[in-house]
Amino acid sequence: KAQFMIGSYYKRLADGLIKKRIATEEVNDRIQSITNFERNISADRYTLFKFFLNISKDSQKERMRRAKKDGLSWVIARADAKQNDNYKEYRTAFEFVLNQSDSSACPWNIVDAENKNWARYSIIRTIILSLEARLGIDSEKTLSEMNRLEEMA
């Protein structure tokens, strides 16, 4: 079963830091709680993936402009525009949260998302390689063997 969370609890922590609603000490406590949870889930043999899609301020602004122009303004939340307006502060907060919550049990995967196709490729490749390593399989070899058997049939 897969679950995708966009924004998740990490974004709420970064927002709390930016808006000064959460003290740094409390953020550290929350991060410790989250990483403990992730460690426990990993110990139970679940595979968790954390991706941070990194995009420049200018690219983010251009994507929002294009979405509005193309009649897709519904995909842009008010928070997205605020984040772009306060890009440096959010970048600093995200870097803090990412650095504090990176762990061997559940590492962050920072994805260069300037190019959407590259970002998709990077995410899929990371998932496949990680699952292959965890399951001890080589999907290319398996697919090659399946093709060989199919040709023989």
Side-chain angles (χ1 to χ4, degrees):
K1 184 174 178 179
Q3 179 178 9
F4 295 88
M5 298 187 321
I6 299 173
S8 79
Y9 31 72
Y10 291 110
K11 184 173 185 316
R12 287 192 291 278
L13 288 175
D15 281 337
L17 277 172
I18 296 287
K19 296 170 184 171
K20 303 202 185 323
R21 292 183 182 158
I22 307 173
T24 304
E25 300 77 32
E26 186 178 346
V27 170
N28 288 330
D29 288 344
R30 289 186 186 187
I31 288 173
Q32 187 62 52
S33 177
I34 292 167
T35 55
N36 287 342
F37 169 74
E38 291 171 348
R39 195 173 297 112
N40 288 336
I41 292 293
S42 293
D44 286 340
R45 302 196 38 79
Y46 285 86
T47 301
L48 299 173
F49 296 97
K50 296 191 297 193
F51 294 98
F52 183 84
L53 280 60
N54 193 30
I55 188 169
S56 71
K57 179 179 182 173
D58 292 339
S59 292
Q60 185 183 43
K61 193 171 213 164
E62 175 60 21
R63 286 187 189 180
M64 288 189 294
R65 187 196 65 74
R66 260 186 297 165
K68 285 180 185 176
K69 179 183 170 210
D70 294 344
L72 299 171
S73 57
W74 59 270
V75 301
I76 304 165
R78 232 181 281 148
D80 296 328
K82 280 186 177 183
Q83 183 177 327
N84 189 262
D85 291 341
N86 300 296
Y87 187 87
K88 286 182 183 177
E89 291 86 357
Y90 272 92
R91 182 177 179 97
T92 300
F94 282 129
E95 286 175 355
F96 175 80
V97 170
L98 292 173
N99 286 326
Q100 296 300 310
S101 61
D102 192 43
S103 70
S104 59
C106 193
W108 276 103
N109 296 280
I110 310 299
V111 178
D112 179 355
E114 293 291 324
N115 179 301
K116 290 180 184 181
N117 289 330
W118 173 255
R120 290 177 186 130
Y121 168 79
S122 296
I123 291 167
I124 291 168
R125 186 173 194 284
T126 299
I127 292 170
I128 290 171
L129 291 175
S130 178
L131 290 175
E132 283 182 339
R134 183 151 194 165
L135 298 172
I137 62 170
D138 180 347
S139 61
E140 286 188 32
K141 181 180 175 186
T142 303
L143 289 172
S144 176
E145 289 174 10
M146 288 173 64
N147 286 333
R148 188 178 57 77
L149 291 172
E150 190 175 274
E151 288 171 3
M152 291 172 57

